[in-house]
Amino acid sequence: MASIKPDLTLIYKKVDHLEIPMDLYLPKNTINAPVLLWFHGGGLLQGCRDMIAPHMKNAVQTYGFACISADYRLAPQVEISEILEDVIDCVIFIRTRLSDCLGQGVVDASRLAISGSSAGGYLALLAALVLKSKPQVVAPIYPITDPLGTFFTKPQPLPVGSDSSEADLDLARLGFFLNPRSTVVANSSETSPRRHMYAYMLKTASLARLWGIFPGDEGAVAQWRIPRTIKMGDFPPTYLIHGMDDTAVGVEQTDEVAGAILGDRNPVVYERPNGEDHEFDQRERYENPELYEFIMRYLN
């Protein structure tokens, strides 16, 4: 099957000399299409916008929404608060400037869903918490939800299927990427040694530290622990997906978020497939009509 390419790439933000791009996938012959914004995974340490799964690109034509896959600055050269600024600025760009770039009547940015995979799912959840004008629906896919949860504060083995070896995690190879003063980037390629940062983080149980979250002020720390924060306010309708055999993000991370949303009496669907590991939805033939029917229910 031929790979679906983006219709357009736009720069939604510039920080000093660094341009931060987004890719747009547009439905054919559709007027005022709603928007699905997706963020890639990689622990906020690695990855790029072209990691978007085939099923999401296919769904653009099937369901008639515009899909945006956006980059953001990567840790530890920036902290989690700065990455969240990118997410907020991305949403502001979509809502206030995207129609000017595409032409009036192409998209309806007032109808917005936010999704993301792994760490991108964390960003989708954060956006739903902090945006004053919330998205109509969120759809986190095997998300990180708590950088101080048990899974990320205890050393973990290499995930099943990882292309990282113990040698790849050597500080001599990763030192540049681990240095907070190194060059700030908004994406990384699949061939860069940076692709081993997530495995290093799991081995060293260092996610919170790499994001710039340190023990101390509990109030400051708590805002990054999503299951605890959801209880404080309203939350949009949510579709959660997490494989029960995930070796890269413990499924209990999503269990806790699902419980918090249910406790706040907000609409939530939680899909927890047996036998599935991380990134199971990247398979070429994977489809999930229930996911998109849920999203479109709140965008139409």
Side-chain angles (χ1 to χ4, degrees):
M1 183 180 295
S3 176
I4 299 172
K5 303 297 184 184
D7 295 283
L8 185 66
T9 298
L10 296 173
I11 303 301
Y12 75 85
K13 181 175 181 176
K14 188 173 181 180
V15 183
D16 297 325
H17 297 293
L18 178 66
E19 295 181 332
I20 310 179
M22 58 166 61
D23 287 341
L24 286 83
Y25 301 83
L26 299 172
K28 293 181 175 63
N29 304 319
T30 301
I31 299 173
N32 292 325
V35 178
L36 171 61
L37 170 62
W38 179 87
F39 293 105
H40 69 79
L44 309 184
L45 307 168
Q46 64 188 60
C48 62
R49 65 192 185 279
D50 61 8
M51 293 165 59
I52 187 169
H55 69 86
M56 192 161 284
K57 291 188 282 188
N58 292 336
V60 168
Q61 303 306 328
T62 304
Y63 296 94
F65 59 79
C67 185
I68 296 174
S69 177
D71 280 332
Y72 48 84
R73 287 174 290 172
L74 299 178
Q77 287 71 46
V78 296
E79 296 184 355
I80 180 60
S81 59
E82 295 167 283
I83 298 172
L84 179 56
E85 288 175 5
D86 292 346
V87 171
I88 295 170
D89 289 339
C90 183
V91 173
I92 291 173
F93 180 93
I94 291 168
R95 286 175 165 163
T96 63
R97 298 178 56 192
L98 184 58
S99 288
D100 293 336
C101 296
L102 299 179
Q104 295 300 315
V106 177
V107 299
D108 177 3
S110 69
R111 295 185 290 152
L112 177 66
I114 304 183
S115 181
S117 300
S118 197
Y122 179 83
L123 296 180
L125 290 165
L126 271 184
L129 284 168
V130 306
L131 289 171
K132 292 181 180 178
S133 179
K134 297 187 181 301
Q136 276 68 40
V137 57
V138 290
I141 303 171
Y142 37 81
I144 293 172
T145 70
D146 185 355
L148 291 171
T150 302
F151 185 85
F152 292 110
T153 54
K154 291 185 177 180
Q156 302 291 335
L158 293 177
V160 172
S162 172
D163 69 346
S164 300
S165 66
E166 291 294 333
D168 292 321
L169 309 187
D170 187 85
L171 285 176
R173 298 191 181 192
L174 290 182
F176 176 81
F177 306 106
L178 289 165
N179 184 351
R181 297 187 178 183
S182 293
T183 304
V184 178
V185 298
N187 49 54
S188 65
S189 73
E190 294 182 359
T191 59
S192 167
R194 190 169 190 131
R195 73 184 188 276
H196 303 299
M197 285 281 284
Y198 194 86
Y200 171 88
M201 175 276 295
L202 288 178
K203 178 185 177 182
T204 57
S206 55
L207 184 63
R209 175 175 59 82
L210 291 170
W211 286 6
I213 301 171
F214 301 98
D217 183 349
E218 284 303 311
V221 170
Q223 66 181 311
W224 308 116
R225 309 189 72 178
I226 289 172
R228 302 184 180 199
T229 310
I230 283 175
K231 298 173 185 177
M232 300 178 186
D234 294 333
F235 206 74
T238 306
Y239 196 106
L240 297 161
I241 306 172
H242 207 132
M244 289 186 65
D245 292 346
D246 197 319
T247 57
V249 177
V251 69
E252 72 278 358
Q253 291 261 314
T254 302
D255 291 347
E256 293 176 1
V257 162
I261 297 173
L262 283 170
D264 212 25
R265 298 187 178 181
N266 291 305
V268 59
V269 172
Y270 185 11
E271 182 183 341
R272 206 170 180 262
N274 288 317
E276 296 289 10
D277 202 339
H278 210 60
E279 296 186 342
F280 66 90
D281 69 320
Q282 288 283 344
R283 295 193 293 262
E284 191 67 38
R285 296 183 179 276
Y286 176 86
E287 300 291 344
N288 194 329
E290 291 81 8
L291 166 65
Y292 294 107
E293 288 165 7
F294 183 91
I295 290 172
M296 295 308 294
R297 184 184 314 158
Y298 295 98
L299 292 183
N300 285 330

